[in-house]
Amino acid sequence: MIFKFPEGEEARAALRREARLLAAVAPHLALPVPRMTLHEGPPLFSAHAKLPGETLLPDSYRRLGVAARDRLADDLALFFAQLHAFDPAEMLAAGALPVGVWDTRDGTLEPVWDLLPPACRIQARAALDAYRALRADPLGERYGFFDAHGWNMAFDAERGVLNGIFDFADSGIGPVHREFAPVSLIDPDLTARTIRAYERLTGRAVERRRVFLHTAAMRLSELAGEIETGGAVDWTRDLVLDWFSQRAV
């Protein structure tokens, strides 16, 4: 069992919101998600059965065969498509909020540039300019998960099967193309496969360049955040370098 005991009013509000959103979407999803029970207490807490499996890390993904990679992409694409099918107005009424934007202001990103090699710095600045120039998402803004990285997955590594996905705290209303950005933290290859599967399933065309720019903005913003807090700067810098060297997306 997983129990959550929120501290502070903001955390309590977030837990109540997550419980309402899960109650609204869980019955309609093919992929298992937590079936959360909220106990008002005091103290306020939630409980749900742990989804069996382990986090899906990049090394684990790279050991998967082609069939397992495609099955994982199909499962994620269906998960995204089912979430995006919800009426945004109904999800707002259920408590969904607009997803936060990545902080890509000049002042925020200023410490980032000296940490990047010249060639990567040029690529990153160009991507940032293009990201800032993006117009409204051609697929609109829908309710989505927006946090589909491997640390939120319950993965059966032995069978190569995704048993479920959890942590809906960052779910909300946002641009559809942004949904695919966190998937790249597992591997850009999975992002590319998931995009193709989503297009086959929904008939909607996903702009690879737009996904690339959302992901670039995400990684640059997160690197700036790690620099500010003194966190995992080297690890996050490597994520930036990896993104601008990959060719899958």
Side-chain angles (χ1 to χ4, degrees):
M1 297 292 293
I2 301 293
F3 298 90
K4 295 182 181 182
F5 293 86
E7 295 184 359
E9 189 52 44
E10 183 177 346
R12 287 191 286 271
L15 183 62
R16 290 188 177 102
R17 182 171 60 252
E18 183 179 11
R20 291 197 304 271
L21 293 173
L22 280 168
V25 303
H28 308 285
L29 299 177
L31 191 64
V33 297
R35 296 301 185 108
M36 183 181 289
T37 301
L38 196 66
H39 301 268
E40 286 292 339
L44 172 72
F45 70 96
S46 69
H48 64 82
K50 182 181 182 294
L51 296 170
E54 57 192 47
T55 54
L56 177 57
L57 301 179
D59 286 346
S60 298
Y61 177 78
R62 293 175 191 131
R63 288 194 290 268
L64 297 177
V66 172
R69 292 185 181 196
D70 284 340
R71 181 170 57 244
L72 175 58
D74 288 344
D75 287 344
L76 284 177
L78 179 58
F79 175 65
F80 293 158
Q82 289 178 330
L83 289 178
H84 299 167
F86 284 99
D87 183 341
E90 292 182 3
M91 296 311 297
L92 285 168
L97 300 174
V99 294
V101 296
W102 293 302
D103 187 353
T104 59
R105 293 172 296 178
D106 288 341
T108 300
L109 295 185
E110 187 60 35
V112 165
W113 307 122
D114 288 341
L115 296 183
L116 303 181
C120 182
R121 190 185 312 144
I122 292 171
Q123 285 182 284
R125 285 187 180 275
L128 179 62
D129 289 341
Y131 170 76
R132 290 170 169 174
L134 286 176
R135 297 187 177 184
D137 195 306
L139 297 181
E141 297 210 350
R142 309 294 300 183
Y143 175 72
F145 188 65
F146 300 111
D147 206 22
H149 51 66
W151 295 279
N152 285 340
M153 295 182 183
F155 190 73
D156 185 333
E158 184 174 342
R159 296 170 54 234
V161 173
L162 182 60
N163 289 335
I165 199 162
F166 53 89
D167 195 354
F168 274 67
D170 291 324
S171 68
I173 308 296
V176 167
H177 282 77
R178 176 171 165 158
E179 187 79 270
F180 301 94
V183 179
S184 69
L185 293 171
I186 301 170
D187 198 290
D189 174 76
L190 180 58
T191 304
R193 290 174 189 269
T194 303
I195 289 172
R196 292 195 295 269
Y198 183 88
E199 290 179 321
R200 290 193 301 269
L201 185 63
T202 65
R204 303 172 196 143
V206 176
E207 297 178 7
R208 273 64 170 176
R209 179 63 174 167
R210 186 176 286 263
V211 174
F212 178 88
L213 295 176
H214 273 287
T215 310
M218 176 187 74
R219 296 197 178 195
L220 290 169
S221 174
E222 291 183 346
L223 176 55
E226 294 299 324
I227 294 171
E228 181 181 3
T229 62
V233 174
D234 290 343
W235 181 77
T236 314
R237 174 181 174 272
D238 287 344
L239 290 179
V240 173
L241 298 179
D242 288 346
W243 183 247
F244 286 106
S245 65
Q246 62 84 29
R247 293 292 179 267
V249 180

